[in-house]
């Protein structure tokens, strides 16, 4: 396939940045999207130019590092997929493809397509844990049976990879889906109950301080979430938050 | 007397760890505040260690090169984690887990370490459940288990095909709690580039801030490396793109011995290579072998028809299929250990029975499982067990429940539906059992420098059974290191903060700067990847699944030559004072080019076949690995300026509690 790439180039956080055109030829439909960018980068290096910086690591859809905004959609044209799982068979010969970084105030650009998502870590540090000593002197794991249905739901919420696609695709740059996934995981498990009140209050407070926008229930996050994290989690978090506010 | 003192406590095997814990020096809680520990790596090993040491009261500085500790390579582990809980009542015990692990490792691991691993395994599950790790459960609300290759009991705990993710998020949460309390200072997007040794003790590291390019000095009373494995020396592997050997290699150059570098695990169930563009290989969890049957066609004419597209695998009759694992290993069948399954696949493909275009793929087939589960469900639901459609639909549901995300992953990559047609799989590099030599306390040969998780060598021997790396990473981080490091740190309560303005820090920083300048100012013409790919080809072809003297000798010469060419002709764009991924990669590949040579040298020295390490000259008539008792030792290499000059030390392995037998899965 022959393609035209229109890629956001930005030297560092202070630079203004602009879209630059790169024609590219001989792309195989079996390549992943990131492998296609590898090909481009090898060409650029061959010409003595600087390659395009983009974030990636596992290349199998689980680490949450890759973060490309492709043709106006987080992680590109397919649903329930990360950019590293996207293959070039999703495009046609002759296509023009826009590639941009996540755009949100709370995710400043580091370089080209790389953004800083440490705000997500700070939200987790505010309460995304269960305060248990890591000594191993805990009760036997089977001492508290957990209804399979709840365990499965908690698991589904826990599969969030922290990629930030929800924020990137939300018109308000809200982080509600991400935060609600962690809140829900613990809300559904007996172990998470004890600290439920503080957890939700602290995490929401941190989320606001990081500069994420409000949720207006447009649902774009759910559509673009590669792990299918459901809006139900936002509803659950809202209930938890309300209950905690009344208590607090 | 060798300088390798493994410090294994004496006394009966089952009491060693308890006894050792009782005799270890303790640090008073108030004094822990006076002690700093650096932990490089925030995977399962480093993350759990950082959280626990901070919990105990030490000041922890943690480093990772990713943008968040949650993204360490451990996140990708799929299948599960072992623990001798015997919840299934199928005869599991600490001893049995210990036994299986030593046998699985082909009697090339350290008995005392493995026993301790089995002993603490049950605590890991309790700990993780308390942290909210959502393991799979049965309808009664209790934890579910499955089994893995090489064992006959069901002891593997799992969270769908995302166990590594859930365990890592557990450790990440435990870290976050400590970061929130100010007990861990986290340095993300930082790469450790050297260890600083002061008066013979590890006292700090030199790190590069990957965003700004700044070179930083960090001091501590002890340094812990949880930096993972080095399988990316092969270029194509199932590792994350950033996984590298730099931290361990730099430690090696500062005096830490590197043990068994040639012990590499090749995982049997990966998606085959499809073309030259490929950047990495994807693993399909081994748990699939619980239900999938592995086969190739019996007849060459069918192989040809499949390759040219005129025949589909589903059209090949049962009697024309060769279920070669079931045929060769009736007791374990498709559940033989990884090295056995990998070699058997290679043997069939080398004999011309590979089923994809490159001839390097075998089938992993779920049709029988779908039918079996479907019938069971139809029976339970009172439906017609002879209605093919009903049975297939029900069966697919069950299979989807167990392996849905893996099937989806496969389909995304290969563009074929594994519910309808068998998957194609082929072995790929997946784990490295070699690593920094450590004693029973997990300390390297450099005092104060520790190695945990995949970065050390001690627990897996020549092969690693499924679901045991996660177990080891968490055992080391949560339960072993936090005790053993105290023994060392107890001597440091009056030392006070370690200054970073010493000549040792100057020297290490200058060295790091010089290495970077050399790479950046090298006006060569070829990219870093160009060299990495060429190294990978040598490694796979000559130091891969099967090895022989002639090719290993060639590999040693070729890698040395390639390294020379790299320094003459590599081109690294950009500057050192900015976010520069090519520069980071160049440093990593430079280290792989040195490690690769030591790897081949180690493989050459070991004239036996053990586990994942198959020396063609040493095999039984049946094509199985031929172990030689005279090689029952750990090879630990001491750096002397060049990989070719490394000095070989041996730690003999003694088995007092297990009878060393020919490993057989027949
Ligand atoms: C696809 C796949 C599936 C697997 N499935 C299973 C399974 O089901 N069960 C099982 O038991 N095992 C499994 N494994 C193996 C297991 O995942 C790993 O062995 C284990 O997670 C390694 O953990 P670790 O903490 O030692 O290292 P890693 O998780 O690799 O962590 C390394 C850390 O070190 C950091 N680091 C490295 N170098 C530097 C440096 N120079 N400077 C700063 N930081 C650095 C990284 O940033 C990272 O934080 C699987 C592996 C793969 C690839
Ligand atoms: S909720 Fe979905 S989109 Fe948002 S960070 Fe998690 S996985 Fe990514
Ligand atoms: S690179 Fe890990 S999710 Fe894409």
């Amino acid at each position: 396939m022959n393609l035209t790439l229109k890629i956001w180039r930005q030297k560092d956080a202070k630079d203004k940045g602009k879209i630059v055109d790169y024609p590219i030829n001989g792309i195989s439909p079996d390549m992943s999207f990131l492998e296609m960018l590898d090909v481009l980068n090898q060409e650029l290096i061959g010409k003595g130019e600087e390659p395009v910086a983009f974030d990636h690591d596992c290349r199998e859809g689980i680490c949450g590092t890759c973060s490309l905004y492709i043709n106006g959609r987080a992680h590109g044209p397919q649903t329930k997929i990360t950019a590293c799982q996207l293959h070039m068979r999703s495009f046609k010969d002759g296509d023009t493809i826009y590639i941009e970084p996540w755009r949100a105030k709370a995710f400043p650009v580091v370089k080209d397509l790389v953004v800083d998502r440490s705000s997500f870590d700070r939200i987790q540090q505010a309460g995304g844990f269960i305060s248990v000593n890591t000594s191993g002197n805990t009760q036997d794991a089977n001492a508290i049976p957990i209804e399979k249905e709840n365990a499965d739901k908690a698991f589904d919420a826990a599969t969030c990879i922290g990629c930030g696609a929800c924020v990137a695709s939300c018109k308000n740059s809200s982080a509600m889906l991400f935060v609600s996934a962690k809140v829900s995981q613990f809300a559904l498990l007996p172990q998470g109950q004890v600290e439920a009140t503080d957890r939700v209050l602290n995490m929401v407070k941190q989320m606001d301080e990081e500069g994420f926008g409000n949720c207006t229930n447009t649902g774009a996050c759910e559509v673009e979430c590669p792990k299918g994290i459901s809006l139900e989690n936002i509803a659950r978090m809202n209930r938890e938050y309300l209950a905690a506010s009344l208590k607090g | 007397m060798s300088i390798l003192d493994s410090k294994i406590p004496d006394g009966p095997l089952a009491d060693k760890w308890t006894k050792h814990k009782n005799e270890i020096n303790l640090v008073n809680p108030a004094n822990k505040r006076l002690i700093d520990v650096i932990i490089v790596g925030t995977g399962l090993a480093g993350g759990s260690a950082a959280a626990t040491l901070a919990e105990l009261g030490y000041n922890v500085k943690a480093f990772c090169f990713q943008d968040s500790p949650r993204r360490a390579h451990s996140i990708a582990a799929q299948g599960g984690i072992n623990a001798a809980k015997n919840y299934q009542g199928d005869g599991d015990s600490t001893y049995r887990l210990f036994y299986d692990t030593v046998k699985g490792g082909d009697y090339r691991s350290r008995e005392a370490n493995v026993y301790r691993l089995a002993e603490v395994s049950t605590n890991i599950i309790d700990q993780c459940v308390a942290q909210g790790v959502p393991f799979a459960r049965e309808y009664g609300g209790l934890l579910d288990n499955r089994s893995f290759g090489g064992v006959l009991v069901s002891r593997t705990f799992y969270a769908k095909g995302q166990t590594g993710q859930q365990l890592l998020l557990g450790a990440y949460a435990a870290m976050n709690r400590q970061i929130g309390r100010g007990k861990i200072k986290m340095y993300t997007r930082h790469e450790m580039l050297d260890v600083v040794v002061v008066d013979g003790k590890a006292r700090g590291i030199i790190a590069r801030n990957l965003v700004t390019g700044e070179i930083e000095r960090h001091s501590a009373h002890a340094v812990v490396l949880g930096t993972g494995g080095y399988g990316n020396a092969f270029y194509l592997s199932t590792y994350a793109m950033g996984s590298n050997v730099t931290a361990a290699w730099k430690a090696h150059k500062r005096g830490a011995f590197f043990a068994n570098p040639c012990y590499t695990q090749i995982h049997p169930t990966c998606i085959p290579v499809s073309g030259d563009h490929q950047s990495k290989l994807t693993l399909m969890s081994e748990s699939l072998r619980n239900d999938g049957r592995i086969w190739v066609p019996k007849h060459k004419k069918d192989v040809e028809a499949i390759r040219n597209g005129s025949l589909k695998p589903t059209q090949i009759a049962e009697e024309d299929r060769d279920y070669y694992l079931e045929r060769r290993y009736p007791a374990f069948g498709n559940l033989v250990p990884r090295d056995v399954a990998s070699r058997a696949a290679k043997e069939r493909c080398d004999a011309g029975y590979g089923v994809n275009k490159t001839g390097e793929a075998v089938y992993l087939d779920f049709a029988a499982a779908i039918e079996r589960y479907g019938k069971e469900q139809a029976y339970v639901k009172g439906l017609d067990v002879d209605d093919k459609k009903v049975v297939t639909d029900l069966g697919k549901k069950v299979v989807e429940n167990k392996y849905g995300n893996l099937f989806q992953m496969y389909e995304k990559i290969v563009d074929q539906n594994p519910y309808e047609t068998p998957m194609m799989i082929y072995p790929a590099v997946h784990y490295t059992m070699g690593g920094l030599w450590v004693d029973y306390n997990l300390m390297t040969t450099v005092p104060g420098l520790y190695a945990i998780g995949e970065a050390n060598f001690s627990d897996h021997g020549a092969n690693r059974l499924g679901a045991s790396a996660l177990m080891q990473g968490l055992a080391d981080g949560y339960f072993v290191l936090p005790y053993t490091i105290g023994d060392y740190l107890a001597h440091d309560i009056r030392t006070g903060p370690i200054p970073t303005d010493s000549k040792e820090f100057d020297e290490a920083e200058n060295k790091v700067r010089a290495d970077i300048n050399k790479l950046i100012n090298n006006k060569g013409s070829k990219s870093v990847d160009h060299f990495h790919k060429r190294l990978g080809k040598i490694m796979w072809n000559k130091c891969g699944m099967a090895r022989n003297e002639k090719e290993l000798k060639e590999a040693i010469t070729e890698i040395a030559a390639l390294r020379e060419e790299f320094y003459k002709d590599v081109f690294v764009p950009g500057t050192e004072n900015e976010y520069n991924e090519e520069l980071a990669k160049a440093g990593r590949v430079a280290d792989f080019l040195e490690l690769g040579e030591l790897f081949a040298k180690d493989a050459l020295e070991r004239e036996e076949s053990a586990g994942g390490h198959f020396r063609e000259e040493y095999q039984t008539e049946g094509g199985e690995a031929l172990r030689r008792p005279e090689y029952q030792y750990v090879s630990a290499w001491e750096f002397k300026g060049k990989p070719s000059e490394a000095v070989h030390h041996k730690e003999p392995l003694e088995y007092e509690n297990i009878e060393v037998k020919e490993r057989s899965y027949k």
Side-chain angles (χ1 to χ4, degrees):
Chain A
M1 297 194 274
N2 301 332
L3 307 160
T4 305
L5 307 177
K6 289 180 166 290
I7 304 181
W8 183 261
R9 300 299 308 256
Q10 179 172 344
K11 203 166 164 31
D12 52 34
K14 281 174 244 133
D15 184 34
K16 269 182 76 182
K18 59 171 192 291
I19 293 275
V20 178
D21 287 12
Y22 298 97
I24 186 165
N25 303 326
I27 294 301
S28 144
D30 288 332
M31 283 181 192
S32 73
F33 198 82
L34 302 190
E35 284 165 350
M36 183 276 293
L37 287 179
D38 292 342
V39 172
L40 171 73
N41 278 344
Q42 290 300 309
E43 278 178 19
L44 293 177
I45 296 167
K47 288 191 276 185
E49 290 174 32
E50 272 204 53
V52 179
F54 62 96
D55 250 336
H56 63 101
D57 200 20
C58 74
R59 295 207 172 185
E60 50 184 71
I62 190 74
C63 71
T65 312
C66 60
S67 51
L68 302 177
Y69 211 62
I70 302 165
N71 284 343
R73 288 182 66 181
H75 294 305
Q78 310 275 342
T79 52
K80 293 211 182 163
I81 200 171
T82 55
C84 59
Q85 290 175 303
L86 179 65
H87 279 69
M88 296 313 292
R89 59 181 89 92
S90 298
F91 298 89
K92 292 192 309 290
D93 188 31
D95 273 359
T96 296
I97 308 176
Y98 281 83
I99 312 174
E100 298 163 87
W102 283 172
R103 285 175 192 271
K105 191 168 127 232
F107 290 164
V109 172
V110 172
K111 179 172 185 170
D112 297 341
L113 305 167
V114 175
V115 301
D116 176 358
R117 283 167 288 189
S118 51
S119 48
F120 267 15
D121 288 325
R122 288 187 294 272
I123 295 174
Q124 300 287 332
Q125 287 152 19
F129 48 78
I130 290 172
S131 298
V132 54
N133 194 312
T134 47
S135 63
N137 295 318
T138 41
Q139 62 183 329
D140 184 84
N142 258 348
I144 316 172
I146 300 175
E147 219 177 302
K148 181 164 165 47
E149 202 191 323
N150 281 345
D152 286 352
K153 269 195 198 151
F155 171 80
D156 287 343
T159 56
C160 161
I161 56 174
C163 61
C166 45
V167 175
S169 43
C170 172
K171 65 178 173 30
N172 309 319
S173 299
S174 161
M176 283 289 263
L177 196 63
F178 167 77
V179 181
S180 73
K182 193 46 85 195
V183 168
S184 291
Q185 177 193 344
F186 292 146
L188 287 158
L189 296 173
Q191 297 89 329
Q193 301 301 322
V194 183
E195 296 167 281
T197 307
D198 284 350
R199 174 177 307 114
V200 69
L201 294 176
N202 291 341
M203 288 180 83
V204 168
K205 180 163 161 271
Q206 188 67 34
M207 172 178 86
D208 292 342
E209 280 171 12
E210 293 290 347
F212 290 102
N214 288 321
C215 172
T216 51
N217 286 313
T218 44
C221 53
E222 184 186 45
V223 177
E224 298 297 5
C225 170
K227 297 295 144 181
I229 304 291
S230 123
L231 285 177
E232 248 179 65
N233 292 303
I234 297 190
R236 190 175 296 108
M237 173 160 106
N238 284 336
R239 284 198 300 276
E240 292 277 318
Y241 188 75
L242 188 68
S245 310
L246 292 176
K247 249 201 253 172
Chain B
M1 170 68 197
S2 160
I3 19 177
L4 295 173
D5 178 3
S6 61
K7 304 226 172 71
I8 295 170
D10 44 58
L13 187 64
D15 301 336
K16 282 184 198 290
W17 179 230
T18 311
K19 178 167 169 278
H20 192 59
K21 279 195 291 187
N22 289 337
E23 288 169 1
I24 261 173
N25 285 313
L26 295 181
V27 182
N28 163 340
N31 284 334
K32 289 193 182 121
R33 281 195 295 271
L34 307 176
I35 291 179
D36 307 319
V37 181
I38 283 175
I39 297 184
V40 188
T42 57
L44 285 175
S48 57
T52 307
L53 292 180
E55 171 106 54
L56 288 171
Y58 297 106
N59 308 311
V60 175
K61 285 183 174 186
F63 295 79
C64 72
F65 62 75
Q66 290 92 348
D67 70 327
S68 164
R70 65 178 290 147
R71 305 202 208 282
H73 173 59
S74 295
I75 199 96
Q78 300 172 351
I81 177 165
N82 286 337
K85 279 282 198 187
N86 196 26
Y87 280 161
Q88 306 304 331
D90 55 2
D92 203 7
S93 64
T94 301
Y95 183 82
R96 194 175 285 274
L97 174 52
F98 156 73
Y99 178 84
D100 286 346
T101 309
V102 173
K103 176 184 172 201
D106 226 346
Y107 307 95
R108 292 291 178 265
S109 43
R110 207 189 267 152
E111 218 181 26
N113 287 57
V114 178
Y115 195 87
R116 173 176 66 189
L117 176 66
E119 197 178 334
V120 303
S121 68
T122 56
N123 286 359
I124 299 176
I125 305 304
D126 298 342
Q127 181 67 50
C128 296
V129 166
Q131 284 166 359
V133 171
F135 284 118
R137 290 189 180 253
E138 292 168 346
Y139 280 97
L142 302 180
L143 292 158
D144 196 8
N145 291 114
R146 59 186 174 202
S147 68
F148 251 71
V151 300
L152 297 171
V153 292
S154 219
R155 65 161 72 103
T156 307
F157 293 79
Y158 66 102
K160 279 216 178 123
Q162 280 139 272
T163 315
Q165 177 194 33
Q166 293 310 317
L167 293 171
L168 184 63
L169 293 182
Y172 165 73
M175 279 184 81
N176 281 331
R177 177 166 161 252
Q178 302 299 337
I179 296 172
R181 294 172 58 201
K183 288 303 293 177
I184 298 179
K185 178 127 181 48
M186 184 66 223
Y187 295 84
T188 57
R189 292 201 197 266
H190 272 68
E191 181 146 80
M192 171 201 139
L193 294 176
D194 210 348
V195 186
V196 184
V197 179
V198 182
D199 296 334
K201 294 176 177 172
R203 290 299 199 189
I205 62 166
I206 305 294
R208 180 167 177 268
N209 178 328
L210 294 172
V211 177
T212 63
E214 250 167 285
I215 305 295
E216 301 172 1
R217 302 177 180 201
H218 296 274
S219 69
H221 298 90
V223 176
V224 181
L225 303 183
T227 45
Y230 50 86
N232 273 350
F234 286 81
Y235 186 74
L236 283 183
S237 79
T238 66
Y239 283 81
M241 301 297 285
S243 296
N244 67 86
V245 77
T246 290
W249 192 253
K250 293 291 167 47
H252 175 55
K253 288 180 143 182
R254 292 276 172 201
F257 290 6
F258 209 107
N260 300 337
C262 80
Y263 280 174
T264 306
Q265 179 166 86
I266 315 272
H267 194 287
T269 55
C270 302
I271 300 180
V273 178
S274 70
D276 270 345
H277 58 264
Q278 205 135 352
S279 59
K280 79 156 273 168
L281 299 174
T282 300
L283 178 138
M284 291 282 105
S285 168
E286 186 182 30
S287 61
L288 292 172
R289 287 200 278 145
N290 269 319
D291 284 312
R293 298 179 70 196
I294 295 176
W295 63 277
V296 291
K298 259 189 199 154
H299 311 294
K300 285 255 168 79
K301 66 170 186 0
D302 289 346
V303 174
E304 263 144 49
I306 281 182
R307 286 194 198 164
N308 69 30
S310 61
L311 192 70
K312 290 195 187 120
T314 44
Q315 293 168 319
I316 298 184
E318 193 64 22
E319 62 273 18
D320 295 329
R321 301 173 175 195
D322 177 12
Y323 294 95
Y324 57 86
L325 288 177
E326 298 168 37
R327 167 168 61 79
R328 283 177 63 177
Y329 309 99
F332 282 73
N334 294 297
L335 286 176
V336 291
R338 293 174 175 181
D339 60 314
V340 178
S342 295
R343 252 189 329 270
K346 181 172 191 290
E347 188 276 327
R348 281 294 79 191
C349 291
D350 288 351
Y353 294 90
V355 293
N356 67 350
K357 286 207 178 76
T358 62
E360 294 194 325
V362 300
Y363 287 127
L364 177 62
D365 195 338
F366 288 86
I370 290 175
E371 191 181 324
R372 177 161 46 86
Y373 285 124
K375 283 210 164 124
E376 198 179 296
Q377 286 294 309
Y379 186 79
V380 170
K381 298 199 153 96
L383 300 170
D384 181 2
V385 293
D386 293 322
D387 185 330
K388 213 165 172 314
K389 179 158 174 7
V390 168
V391 167
T392 311
D393 286 352
L394 287 170
K396 279 183 187 164
K397 274 250 162 58
V398 176
V399 168
E400 188 187 339
N401 250 327
K402 292 182 106 163
Y403 311 113
N405 64 319
L406 299 172
F407 278 40
Q408 203 188 5
M409 193 151 105
Y410 181 86
E411 187 166 359
K412 275 174 199 157
I413 295 172
V414 184
D415 208 20
Q416 281 184 9
N417 179 347
Y419 295 98
E420 307 293 338
T421 184
M423 281 184 180
M424 284 181 290
I425 52 162
Y426 197 68
V429 170
H430 166 66
Y431 182 89
T432 44
M433 284 82 68
L436 293 178
W437 185 91
V438 290
D439 63 17
Y440 190 71
N441 293 323
L442 306 181
M443 188 153 89
T444 67
T445 44
V446 175
L449 181 66
Y450 290 78
I452 58 177
E454 197 173 334
N456 75 22
F457 88 101
S458 62
D459 291 11
H460 303 300
N463 180 37
R464 181 177 69 77
L465 292 180
S468 58
L470 301 183
M471 172 171 67
Q472 187 223 337
L474 290 179
D476 286 359
Y478 281 136
F479 306 130
V480 179
L481 180 83
Y483 277 101
T484 59
I485 203 172
D487 197 38
Y488 175 82
L489 292 173
H491 304 290
D492 261 331
I493 51 177
R494 288 198 191 82
T495 308
I498 308 291
T500 56
D501 56 359
S502 61
K503 64 175 192 313
E504 290 85 356
F505 271 94
D506 290 347
E507 187 269 325
E509 179 177 332
N510 290 340
K511 170 97 181 61
V512 164
R513 286 188 188 278
D515 286 351
I516 289 175
N517 284 337
K518 191 159 147 197
L519 290 169
I520 277 281
N521 296 323
N522 199 52
K523 295 293 166 238
S525 67
K526 299 209 175 67
S527 72
V528 175
D529 281 7
H530 166 88
F531 292 98
H532 195 178
K533 284 186 186 172
R534 280 172 58 193
L535 172 66
K537 286 229 165 76
I538 303 175
M539 296 293 295
W540 181 248
N541 292 333
K542 300 189 169 166
C543 316
M545 252 194 284
R547 304 155 182 188
N548 59 55
E549 181 183 338
K550 176 171 164 286
E551 288 183 351
L552 287 167
K553 285 189 170 151
E554 287 165 9
I556 292 174
T557 325
E558 286 169 25
I559 294 169
L562 185 63
R563 192 167 62 233
E564 221 170 278
E565 198 186 325
F566 173 84
Y567 282 109
K568 278 206 194 102
D569 204 19
V570 72
F571 166 62
V572 181
T575 69
E576 66 270 45
N577 303 315
E578 59 174 341
Y579 184 97
N580 186 341
E581 210 188 340
E582 283 298 303
L583 175 59
K585 254 199 303 197
R588 294 169 193 166
V589 171
D591 291 336
F592 279 139
L593 283 165
E594 294 189 355
L595 162 87
E597 189 179 330
L598 184 68
F599 186 120
K601 192 175 148 99
D602 184 47
L604 180 63
E605 191 277 335
R606 198 165 276 274
E607 295 183 332
E608 64 160 352
S609 291
H613 166 107
F614 195 69
R615 253 312 262 279
E616 283 165 350
E617 301 96 314
Y618 303 95
Q619 50 181 308
T620 64
E621 270 170 27
E624 305 296 335
L626 181 69
R627 213 167 359 85
R628 298 173 65 197
E630 57 272 43
Y631 285 87
Q632 192 166 302
Y633 55 73
V634 175
S635 289
W637 297 91
E638 180 182 5
F639 188 74
K640 288 285 184 193
K642 272 191 205 154
S644 58
E645 287 158 12
V647 174
H648 189 205
H649 298 270
K650 294 176 186 176
E651 177 196 338
L653 291 166
E654 278 141 35
Y655 294 94
E656 290 164 7
N657 299 276
I658 276 187
E659 186 194 347
V660 180
K661 282 196 284 204
E662 198 63 49
R663 197 162 64 107
S664 166
Y665 293 86
K666 297 256 179 210

